[in-house]
Amino acid sequence: MRILIAMMKHETNTFSPIPADLKRFEDWGIHFGDNARAAYEGTAMPMGAYIELAKSINAEIVTPVAAEAMPSGPVTKEAYEVLCNAILDEVRGGVDAAMLDLHGAMVSEVTPDGEGTLLERIREIDPDLPIAVTLDLHCNLTDKMMQNCTTLIGYKTYPHVDMYEVGMQIGQALLDSMEGKIKPVMSWGNVPLLSQTLCQGTDDEPWRHWFGFAGRRKRKRGLSRQQHLAGLRLPISSRPVIR
Ligand SMILES: [Zn+2]
């Protein structure tokens, strides 16, 4: 099995006058090919989790790009196309699955929905490609994202200390769906609620209460967090530390 694993992240603030050009990605980190794998293998990022999962099933791993820039204005046309085309060229070459480490709040000069447009372009090339996606808790979810992937998840904690965990969870769900063990179904909706940006920590109230409530509801219906992690193909002890 040949699995494409890539990272393409930017949290765009359209009010910012600072463009997210290639230089801005270079400042934070932009890697292609084997350098992308070397940069994130063994890390606690979703991309690190994806690589561990792919290795655990002896899949061939291709990592066309891993890029992130600090939050700023819209991603320039040039930067967006360079990052997208690195991924799309690999899809054209033929892969069996894609696992993508995205943010979910990327605006580009090309599109207001950076991630949805990328996923749509991938599916235009390979309509049935199984695709797993991780997004940041601070994403702006769209129908286009939901309609153009197989499994999708967002970080649950802020600060984002669960990036590896959600990467393992959604990557495993994709592999299980490919083996016919599960049939993932996704639905979503907006609620009329705007949270205070300075009070979003999930260790602080009011989110601490709601986060704990959601966790208890989830555990009531299924596996505990420990059981869930133990059920993944890697032992908990092998999880890399957060860097
Ligand atoms: Zn965030």
Side-chain angles (χ1 to χ4, degrees):
M1 190 190 295
R2 194 161 191 262
I3 300 182
L4 182 158
I5 297 174
M7 183 180 111
M8 176 173 154
K9 278 178 171 166
H10 187 249
E11 184 173 37
T12 305
N13 174 356
T14 54
F15 295 109
S16 169
I18 304 167
D21 53 14
L22 280 173
K23 172 74 170 57
R24 192 151 178 93
F25 279 92
E26 283 163 10
D27 289 346
W28 186 257
I30 182 167
H31 312 277
F32 296 98
D34 292 340
N35 289 336
R37 176 172 176 168
Y40 287 96
E41 186 166 6
T43 68
M45 303 291 281
M47 182 155 171
Y50 291 155
I51 292 171
E52 293 306 315
L53 270 178
K55 279 164 64 179
S56 75
I57 59 165
N58 295 315
E60 182 190 347
I61 300 170
V62 287
T63 52
V65 68
E68 184 168 14
M70 283 294 281
S72 50
V75 177
T76 63
K77 183 175 191 301
E78 183 194 18
Y80 185 77
E81 298 298 0
V82 164
L83 301 180
C84 281
N85 286 334
I87 295 170
L88 298 174
D89 286 347
E90 204 66 65
V91 174
R92 280 188 200 98
V95 292
D96 298 302
M99 296 182 179
L100 302 175
D101 181 354
L102 308 176
H103 185 286
M106 177 187 284
V107 175
S108 157
E109 291 171 351
V110 178
T111 166
D113 182 358
E115 290 82 0
T117 299
L118 167 68
L119 293 167
E120 188 177 55
R121 288 181 179 183
I122 292 174
R123 283 276 167 91
E124 278 170 10
I125 297 168
D126 189 344
D128 300 320
L129 185 68
I131 304 173
V133 173
T134 56
L135 298 177
D136 192 281
L137 181 151
H138 301 107
C139 67
N140 295 315
L141 202 57
T142 66
D143 276 334
K144 202 184 272 191
M145 294 180 206
M146 296 290 287
Q147 286 163 7
N148 290 285
C149 66
T150 313
T151 59
L152 177 148
I153 195 170
Y155 307 152
K156 300 290 186 292
T157 66
Y158 181 55
H160 309 316
V161 293
D162 60 343
M163 295 187 286
Y164 183 82
E165 190 178 328
V166 299
M168 290 298 281
Q169 187 180 344
I170 213 63
Q172 185 68 63
L174 186 77
L175 296 178
D176 286 348
S177 74
M178 292 170 71
E179 286 180 27
K181 290 182 188 170
I182 59 167
K183 284 188 178 170
V185 177
M186 298 193 286
S187 63
W188 75 289
N190 273 323
V191 293
L193 184 146
L194 191 62
S195 76
Q196 201 340 317
T197 55
L198 300 180
C199 300
Q200 289 183 347
T202 44
D203 287 329
D204 305 318
E205 297 299 349
W207 291 110
R208 180 187 160 100
H209 171 84
W210 291 109
F211 191 66
F213 174 76
R216 285 192 297 278
R217 292 282 297 184
K218 192 171 134 194
R219 280 193 290 277
K220 236 181 175 178
R221 287 189 300 162
L223 300 175
S224 72
R225 183 168 176 273
Q226 289 297 318
Q227 285 172 323
H228 172 72
L229 284 172
L232 296 173
R233 294 182 190 214
L234 285 178
I236 297 167
S237 58
S238 72
R239 296 172 65 202
V241 296
I242 306 284
R243 66 170 196 178

